[in-house]
Amino acid sequence: EGLVFPDFKVSTEYPKEYKWRVFGMDFGYTNDPTTLVEIRYAHGNLYWKEHLYRTGLTNPEIATEVKRLELHREKVVADSAEPKSIEEIKRKGCHIIGAEKGRDSINQGIDAIKRYKCYIHSGSKNLIEEFSSYTWDKDRDGNPTNKPIDKFNHGIDAGRYALSNKILNDRKHLKPELIYI
């Protein structure tokens, strides 16, 4: 009840052919995980896959993991609230940039995701848990608000950063049907 993304599907398939793909990262350490997700746009849908979901990683360890996954040459869009982390990971040889965040970026990102049908790869157990648990906050009377609860959202936030950058930066290059599906 009150799920932000009630219509997601779990899929064993992950498209090998796609129109575009993006990578996003959200930083964590003690209680929250550092996450790295990939989203592929294919057949008018978004296909999500988690590559990293772990607590306790330092920035050099994050860079090592990105290299181990052979994703260091891919542009990873990360939480711009941590410019020091982005710079340290960049200096370790990873292609990482900060997300473009504006006013109300959380709801704008959620709206961008909701333009598409989302498929979560079946091996992405943490992302599946997040999509199954990410809910809207409630007011005093128990009515849903327009603000999500800040829990079960680390992989979703990583995807939101990557998608927001793709849509904001490439809007003039994308065909309208890729933006307004």
Side-chain angles (χ1 to χ4, degrees):
E1 185 179 317
L3 286 177
V4 174
F5 303 108
D7 299 323
F8 78 94
K9 305 278 188 238
V10 176
S11 175
T12 57
E13 296 183 31
Y14 199 65
K16 290 184 175 57
E17 294 183 21
Y18 47 87
K19 290 193 180 211
W20 49 262
R21 71 179 177 173
V22 291
F23 294 87
M25 180 176 285
D26 190 32
F27 297 109
Y29 187 71
T30 303
N31 297 316
D32 297 334
T34 295
T35 60
L36 174 61
V37 302
E38 177 182 358
I39 302 171
R40 293 182 179 182
Y41 175 80
H43 319 294
N45 305 309
L46 297 178
Y47 294 84
W48 294 61
K49 186 175 188 179
E50 78 183 51
H51 290 286
L52 180 64
Y53 201 101
R54 195 173 325 150
T55 57
L57 293 176
T58 63
N59 292 332
E61 290 170 331
I62 293 168
T64 298
E65 284 299 306
V66 172
K67 288 178 181 178
R68 183 187 65 76
L69 293 164
E70 298 182 3
L71 298 175
H72 57 286
R73 290 186 179 94
E74 299 291 342
K75 179 170 67 174
V76 174
V77 182
D79 184 356
S80 58
E82 296 215 21
K84 182 178 173 184
S85 294
I86 291 169
E87 185 61 31
E88 287 178 0
I89 294 166
K90 188 182 294 184
R91 289 181 186 189
K92 292 289 185 181
C94 298
H95 186 187
I96 184 169
I97 64 169
E100 292 184 19
K101 292 184 190 180
R103 189 173 156 210
D104 201 26
S105 64
I106 294 172
N107 281 349
Q108 286 179 0
I110 288 169
D111 289 343
I113 294 168
K114 285 185 159 195
R115 294 176 189 162
Y116 307 90
K117 181 170 265 189
C118 292
Y119 291 89
I120 315 304
H121 186 268
S122 59
S124 301
K125 65 181 178 84
N126 298 297
L127 268 178
I128 294 167
E129 176 68 22
E130 285 190 8
F131 271 82
S132 300
S133 305
Y134 191 44
T135 58
W136 296 107
D137 202 357
K138 294 182 178 177
D139 64 17
R140 283 187 260 172
D141 300 321
N143 299 312
T145 66
N146 194 30
K147 182 179 178 187
I149 296 174
D150 189 20
K151 287 184 181 178
F152 306 109
N153 60 344
H154 308 292
I156 291 171
D157 281 352
R160 185 172 55 79
Y161 300 143
L163 285 171
S164 294
N165 255 44
K166 175 71 177 168
I167 291 168
L168 290 172
N169 287 338
D170 294 350
R171 181 170 290 232
K172 54 189 156 235
H173 303 294
L174 292 175
K175 295 179 183 176
E177 68 267 19
L178 295 183
I179 298 172
Y180 300 107
I181 293 179

